[in-house]
Amino acid sequence: MIPISKPLIGEEEKAAVIAVLESGQLAQGPRVEEFEEKFAALCGVKHAVATSSGTTALLAALLAHRIGFGDEVITTAFTFIASANSILFTGARPVFVDIDETSYNIDPNLIEEKITQRTKAILPVHLYGNPCDMQSIMDTAARRDLVVIEDACQAHAASIDGKRVGSFGTGCFSFYPSKNMTTGEGGMLTTDDDGIAEQARLIRHHGQSQLYHHESPGYNFRMTEMQAALGLVQLQKLPEWTRRRIENARYLDERLGNVITPRVGDGCVHVYHQYTIRVSADRDEALQRLANAGIGARVYYPVPIHQQPFYRELGFNDSLPVSERISQEVLSIPVHPGLSRAELDEIVREVSKL
Ligand SMILES: Cc1ncc(COP(=O)(O)O)c(C=O)c1O
């Protein structure tokens, strides 16, 4: 089976983790700090705050911006559940806006009509590694005095006109094993704002300013030294892996000529966390046929969040026709940097038969 994703762990990663284990410093320490500095440099921001996951990076970002009970946060329903669950966990309410039919990212033209007096933030998701229309989102946010928190969990090193995602608003990244780089589990918050960085650091560590002095509410969202050691090695490899993801996507584009893929905006660098196509015929059958042929295809995401049972119970009954339709039609095929030319050719051969 050609897997949909494959963490690439080499000898350097193994040596780096063993060195941490031998050092005796396992919890957050100097390697986390170094990883933060290097990740901030990658994103072109002043601060990066490492966390235990992408989900806790999102939660820390929302809390650092003082979002909580009674507030509303505008986001998309066509994403991984964490984008909305993190909002719910602050006590705020996610307000779903439909997606653009061509990019599958939040439709910036539909945001304004969902803004109320309770709206505090917009939380766009750079789905599959393809940047959202940040110009339009930032303009709306500035006009309506809203915070922007970017869910860049799938979009390491993606950019718009040379500016990295995660540097427009407060950025949140994930290092889950399927992501473009991994720390096993892990996350990162990025910001240029000194105050938000300070708040996020407090929230991550029980609001502790000095040892056993707690000045604000907080929790344990810390990253370990083992994770940071892995991340430091992976970060060095990210440019080459990103280049290969883009090259693999071009290879598929050229040979699968007739498939529909998400539109990439002008000036945007899509980093192909996923290579996603739309299938007009029966999607379940297409998935089965690919599985039988040894191609690990997956659907991201089959049920938009407002239609998840738990959200239904909470009273979400939006009509988001584009999200609902696209979720029935998409299918992602392997594009990761571990693919050989022979595997790419096999993927092309099988997908062309659908
Ligand atoms: C769009 C999106 N948001 C949030 C997350 C949450 O990240 P994590 O799994 O690291 O908590 C993920 C990844 O799983 C994701 O893909």
Side-chain angles (χ1 to χ4, degrees):
M1 177 69 82
I2 302 173
I4 185 74
S5 67
K6 182 160 123 186
L8 298 174
I9 302 294
E11 292 308 315
E12 302 97 314
E13 281 90 342
K14 291 178 196 167
V17 172
I18 287 170
V20 173
L21 295 174
E22 287 174 350
S23 77
Q25 164 88 52
L26 308 187
Q28 185 183 306
R31 286 175 183 84
V32 169
E33 205 171 312
E34 187 186 344
F35 185 34
E36 290 176 336
E37 278 165 19
K38 295 198 165 142
F39 200 82
L42 169 80
C43 297
V45 294
K46 253 169 101 177
H47 308 281
V49 181
T51 57
S52 51
S53 69
T55 307
T56 54
L58 283 164
L59 188 49
L62 289 156
L63 294 172
H65 283 285
R66 308 216 181 274
I67 288 160
F69 286 100
D71 296 333
E72 293 176 354
V73 178
I74 289 178
T75 191
T76 163
F78 189 54
T79 176
F80 181 58
I81 193 88
S83 312
N85 276 356
S86 56
I87 299 169
L88 276 187
F89 267 64
T90 67
R93 192 168 177 88
V95 172
F96 298 115
V97 163
D98 212 352
I99 53 172
D100 175 273
E101 168 133 41
T102 57
S103 70
Y104 319 157
N105 280 327
I106 192 167
D107 186 338
N109 298 316
L110 301 179
I111 291 176
E112 193 96 35
E113 66 199 53
K114 292 282 178 87
I115 298 174
T116 71
Q117 286 194 327
R118 292 169 178 260
T119 310
K120 286 281 161 56
I122 308 173
L123 194 154
V125 180
H126 305 294
L127 195 71
Y128 307 144
N130 185 21
C132 292
D133 179 351
M134 290 312 293
Q135 172 85 54
S136 175
I137 292 167
M138 296 311 288
D139 285 351
T140 305
R143 204 166 48 248
R144 304 299 297 265
D145 196 20
L146 301 175
V147 163
V148 174
I149 296 171
E150 299 174 68
D151 182 337
C153 284
Q154 303 184 354
H156 314 70
S159 60
I160 306 171
D161 293 329
K163 184 172 164 61
R164 299 278 196 212
V165 303
S167 70
F168 291 87
T170 301
C172 301
F173 293 83
S174 164
F175 303 120
Y176 186 75
S178 62
K179 297 297 192 276
N180 291 22
M181 60 175 282
T182 186
T183 60
E185 296 271 7
M188 193 73 84
L189 178 155
T190 52
T191 179
D192 272 327
D193 186 314
D194 299 347
I196 293 299
E198 192 189 334
Q199 276 307 309
R201 289 183 200 286
L202 282 170
I203 290 160
R204 163 180 75 174
H205 189 35
H206 289 294
Q208 179 172 286
S209 49
Q210 296 171 47
L211 192 61
Y212 305 130
H213 291 259
H214 306 273
E215 70 175 59
S216 62
Y219 215 69
N220 177 356
F221 293 161
R222 295 186 305 268
M223 176 179 273
T224 67
E225 288 285 276
M226 288 80 80
Q227 290 167 295
L230 255 177
L232 279 164
V233 179
Q234 295 260 309
L235 197 54
Q236 286 174 23
K237 299 179 177 179
L238 183 70
E240 170 60 13
W241 287 340
T242 304
R243 194 188 63 69
R244 267 155 53 190
R245 281 182 184 273
I246 294 171
E247 195 177 280
N248 289 349
R250 294 280 158 278
Y251 194 84
L252 295 171
D253 283 343
E254 281 161 19
R255 283 156 186 82
L256 294 174
N258 56 348
V259 296
I260 304 172
T261 55
R263 175 182 54 82
V264 181
D266 288 343
C268 290
V269 174
H270 180 345
V271 293
Y272 292 96
H273 171 56
Q274 298 298 344
Y275 186 95
T276 303
I277 62 174
R278 259 157 88 176
V279 285
S280 44
D282 188 313
R283 188 194 42 204
D284 288 343
E285 193 195 315
L287 274 170
Q288 195 53 55
R289 277 163 59 186
L290 290 176
N292 293 345
I295 315 287
R298 281 250 187 120
V299 175
Y300 303 100
Y301 294 92
V303 183
I305 296 178
H306 66 295
Q307 295 187 323
Q308 295 286 353
F310 172 57
Y311 279 77
R312 283 281 193 236
E313 272 174 40
L314 287 174
F316 286 85
N317 60 0
D318 312 65
S319 163
L320 302 169
V322 185
S323 303
E324 289 160 24
R325 179 156 47 80
I326 300 293
S327 67
Q328 297 299 310
E329 294 181 359
V330 287
L331 180 159
S332 298
I333 55 178
V335 72
H336 57 80
L339 293 172
S340 67
R341 184 54 63 92
E343 287 173 323
L344 280 166
D345 287 335
E346 209 174 315
I347 294 165
V348 169
R349 201 164 41 246
E350 295 304 328
V351 173
S352 302
K353 290 186 203 159
L354 294 178

